[in-house]
Amino acid sequence: MTAHPGSIDFGPARDGVPDHAAGNDALPDLDGIVLAGDPASAGGDPDPQLAAHWDRVRDRLQQDVGEVEFRMWLRPMTLGGVDGDEVTLLLPTRFLRDWVRGHYADKLNALWQQEDKRVRRVDIRVGGVAASSDLPELPSSPLLPAAQAAAPPARVQATEARADMAAPLDPRFEFDSFVVGKPNEFAYACARRVAERPSSPGFNPLFLYGGVGLGKTHLMHAIGLELSRRDTQTIQVAYMSAEKFMYRFIAAIRSQSTMEFKEQLRSVDVLMVDDLQFLIGKDNTQEEFFHTFNALVDAGKQIVVSADKSPSDLSGLEDRLRTRLGCGMVADLHATTFELRISILEAKAIRGGTAVPPKVLEFLAHKITSNVRELEGSLNRLVAHANLFSRPITLESTQEVLHDILKAHDRRVTIEEIQKRVAEHWNIRLADMSSARRARAVARPRQVAMYLAKQLTSRSLPEIGRKFGNRDHTTVMHAVKVVAELIETDADFGERVELLRRMLES
Ligand code: ADP
Ligand code: MG
């Protein structure tokens, strides 16, 4: 992410957390704090002068970068609004946002300044036509009253005062766009339940945990979106990353407004704090969070928290906080299986409206196993390329376009590592990987190790054969075939192999 002039950059956007106006984020900028909330741009008439500025900036940009680049990356960009000295531009996907930020932020800044001297920074965010018409106030009014579409101005005003308390929800992270499979069905069910009936006994707090890119943030946003859509009651939902919680807290201390900070937080009905592991070692903030937590739970309000580990494994969090976090429902998101990855890719391909051959989806699901975000990013890139050059997506083009990503995933797993892991898994002696024994109990694991060696390393069949007690390359070939067939026909076996692959790749 590029640092924007006139603002302090706290580093890359956290996992899936849609960026907030940096004027709000930037602690040292507090004096000149700029709220993203602009009632005029949220609901009012578009400003004709602003629209003219934007038209000219766009035209110049197009001239500068050329037609091809413009079509590929910049055409979907729309004007979000202007707030004081800050212009917000919207892109429909995170992939595009990151790309535009990385490559065009400086240019955009310069062009806007030429157009309007008052503009000090350009904020590039996810959002756009679909997002803003679905949820008109999302980008500008982060504390979401339910029924916001129909919200009378008075209520919008009331929440506006607290607009800097929370981050906006990403309208794409709905329950409907979350693909459910074995590894995440429990967490999904819990999230749904909390969205349907917040604060029900046994589900408060809801603690979601799992590795990077497995859908924690997505589920939290989905809870918020669902609650804010239902118009039967007015529920105040606040979502923020733990990091943001800390910055807000410190900002409140600096500006001697901790009372306000506390009151604002405690007035919400649902508080969601993402990536709680960030608070490890931040004792004062933890303390504050603990008190907020207690106050809310005691008042019958719902808390949703996410972290990369379970409460008991989050060493470094205060014991009493850990204990309370584990008191409600704890749900983990497991690493994805091949099957889930395929389903996710299929769903995303369908949503994207570009035909992607099943072979390519399978290839991606095999190669990119670590996190869904990367999987998604790869698919997006493929689709962008295909559209740009009006060419169909093929296995060859995939390998070409994703060259860098695939290379990074070719982690250097050694055959020795594979043999060791597989032997441990089936509880056989490591020496049996090279021994002549043919009993099924050792022969099958040996075949699996050969299969994984073929899949995870760049070694040739004869090379692999040599590492397995000087076996012939045809033996390796046979093993690869047998294991591939078994994976198809025996689900249990397939899962074991998948698990091993994941362990080796991580
Ligand atoms: P985390 O917060 O656990 O690091 P995110 O919720 O940010 O992960 O997910 C990363 C990306 O992957 C997001 O774009 C999200 O929409 C997508 N994603 C993760 N899991 C799923 C799923 N089961 N179905 C659809 N998309 C998913
Ligand atoms: Mg996250």
Side-chain angles (χ1 to χ4, degrees):
M1 172 161 156
T2 343
H4 305 282
S7 77
I8 306 296
D9 202 351
F10 287 115
R14 298 263 137 192
D15 303 341
V17 181
D19 265 357
H20 203 207
N24 288 347
D25 289 352
L27 186 51
D29 261 6
L30 271 180
D31 292 342
I33 196 159
V34 184
L35 286 187
D38 174 7
S41 70
D45 297 320
D47 174 353
Q49 200 192 354
L50 186 60
H53 283 321
W54 172 226
D55 279 346
R56 276 195 295 272
V57 168
R58 258 175 77 100
D59 285 350
R60 265 196 229 130
L61 187 63
Q62 188 166 0
Q63 278 163 22
D64 276 4
V65 304
E67 182 60 28
V68 172
E69 264 185 58
F70 185 82
R71 251 189 25 210
M72 182 150 177
W73 307 112
L74 299 160
R75 196 161 55 183
M77 186 160 57
T78 54
L79 179 63
V82 172
D83 190 354
D85 57 5
E86 177 181 290
V87 172
T88 302
L89 297 175
L90 302 174
L91 283 145
T93 66
R94 210 143 8 119
F95 175 67
L96 279 172
R97 176 201 68 188
D98 291 344
W99 186 272
V100 171
R101 264 193 195 159
H103 295 80
Y104 304 102
D106 293 344
K107 197 176 278 301
L108 281 164
N109 262 311
L111 287 173
W112 268 105
Q113 266 169 21
Q114 277 172 30
E115 205 42 62
D116 184 345
K117 293 250 169 326
R118 284 166 307 174
V119 172
R120 277 181 57 228
R121 67 178 295 270
V122 175
D123 189 24
I124 301 162
R125 291 203 236 166
V126 174
V129 186
S132 53
S133 62
D134 286 345
L135 295 157
E137 287 166 30
L138 269 186
S140 56
S141 180
L143 260 186
L144 293 169
Q148 46 178 274
R155 198 144 46 76
V156 176
Q157 284 298 322
T159 58
E160 203 103 307
R162 290 179 276 188
D164 62 335
M165 285 306 297
L169 299 173
D170 189 326
R172 293 167 315 142
F173 290 172
E174 287 185 289
F175 281 123
D176 280 352
S177 59
F178 191 83
V179 180
V180 186
K182 272 237 158 49
N184 60 24
E185 63 188 3
F186 183 66
Y188 174 84
C190 292
R192 267 234 110 105
R193 168 65 193 261
V194 164
E196 267 152 33
R197 256 182 291 160
S199 315
S200 17
F203 286 84
N204 200 14
L206 172 61
F207 189 102
L208 299 169
Y209 75 93
V212 176
L214 297 180
K216 301 182 293 293
T217 299
H218 189 135
L219 284 179
M220 293 175 101
H221 284 229
I223 294 173
L225 292 169
E226 182 74 24
L227 284 167
S228 61
R229 191 179 8 235
R230 281 212 306 267
D231 54 0
T232 44
Q233 58 212 135
T234 51
I235 287 188
Q236 295 280 357
V237 181
Y239 163 90
M240 69 188 84
S241 64
E243 193 181 11
K244 208 153 281 177
F245 182 92
M246 185 184 81
Y247 287 124
R248 296 275 181 278
F249 175 54
I250 299 174
I253 294 177
R254 285 219 186 152
S255 59
Q256 296 177 325
S257 57
T258 42
M259 279 311 288
E260 264 168 79
F261 174 80
K262 285 176 210 264
E263 271 169 30
Q264 286 175 5
L265 269 182
R266 286 168 201 191
S267 68
V268 304
D269 300 300
V270 179
L271 175 66
M272 299 196 271
V273 178
D274 206 350
D275 289 322
L276 202 75
Q277 70 274 7
F278 183 83
L279 294 192
I280 286 173
K282 321 270 191 330
D283 293 347
N284 290 339
T285 312
Q286 248 183 67
E287 172 98 15
E288 181 57 31
F289 176 70
F290 180 71
H291 292 309
T292 308
F293 179 102
N294 285 334
L296 284 169
V297 172
D298 290 346
K301 309 297 179 62
Q302 174 79 46
I303 306 267
V304 182
V305 164
S306 86
D308 61 353
K309 297 195 192 69
S310 72
S312 51
D313 288 338
L314 274 178
S315 52
L317 273 198
E318 259 191 79
D319 279 346
R320 54 182 188 165
L321 177 56
R322 253 185 322 146
T323 312
R324 288 225 67 173
L325 285 170
C327 275
M329 184 56 72
V330 178
D332 55 347
L333 290 130
H334 298 273
T336 56
T337 54
F338 176 72
E339 219 178 10
L340 179 60
R341 290 195 294 277
I342 285 282
S343 312
I344 290 174
L345 283 170
E346 277 169 359
K348 304 225 184 245
I350 289 170
R351 275 189 173 232
T354 304
V356 185
K359 271 262 163 291
V360 169
L361 297 184
E362 265 170 44
F363 176 77
L364 292 179
H366 259 304
K367 286 286 180 188
I368 302 170
T369 52
S370 49
N371 93 47
V372 180
R373 181 170 313 122
E374 244 184 316
L375 203 58
E376 204 176 3
S378 308
L379 184 67
N380 286 344
R381 205 201 287 181
L382 278 185
V383 169
H385 254 262
N387 289 345
L388 176 64
F389 297 109
S390 308
R391 261 197 236 134
I393 299 174
T394 63
L395 216 44
E396 290 73 52
S397 71
T398 302
Q399 267 156 332
E400 217 177 281
V401 172
L402 300 180
H403 173 74
D404 53 333
I405 296 176
L406 295 172
K407 210 168 116 203
H409 274 264
D410 269 344
R411 203 182 72 85
R412 306 271 139 242
V413 186
T414 62
I415 294 183
E416 286 75 13
E417 254 175 285
I418 295 174
Q419 292 176 326
K420 186 166 161 283
R421 284 286 190 166
V422 174
E424 275 167 12
H425 184 84
W426 266 282
N427 215 0
I428 63 169
R429 292 180 312 137
L430 183 57
D432 277 331
M433 285 290 160
S434 336
S435 77
R437 287 182 61 198
R438 285 155 155 245
R440 167 76 58 92
V442 296
R444 188 69 83 218
R446 192 189 293 134
Q447 286 178 322
V448 171
M450 290 183 196
Y451 168 87
L452 288 170
K454 181 76 195 93
Q455 294 260 318
L456 301 178
T457 74
S458 48
R459 298 309 179 88
S460 66
L461 293 174
E463 277 175 311
I464 295 173
R466 275 200 288 283
K467 297 262 184 184
F468 285 83
N470 267 329
R471 286 180 156 79
D472 192 67
H473 78 276
T474 53
T475 310
V476 182
M477 217 153 70
H478 178 69
V480 171
K481 184 162 159 272
V482 168
V483 172
E485 277 166 13
L486 266 176
I487 289 173
E488 289 300 314
T489 52
D490 179 346
D492 187 51
F493 179 82
E495 248 171 56
R496 278 166 164 243
V497 176
E498 180 62 27
L499 185 80
L500 279 164
R501 172 215 295 284
R502 274 206 313 264
M503 287 195 315
L504 286 160
E505 276 180 338
S506 63

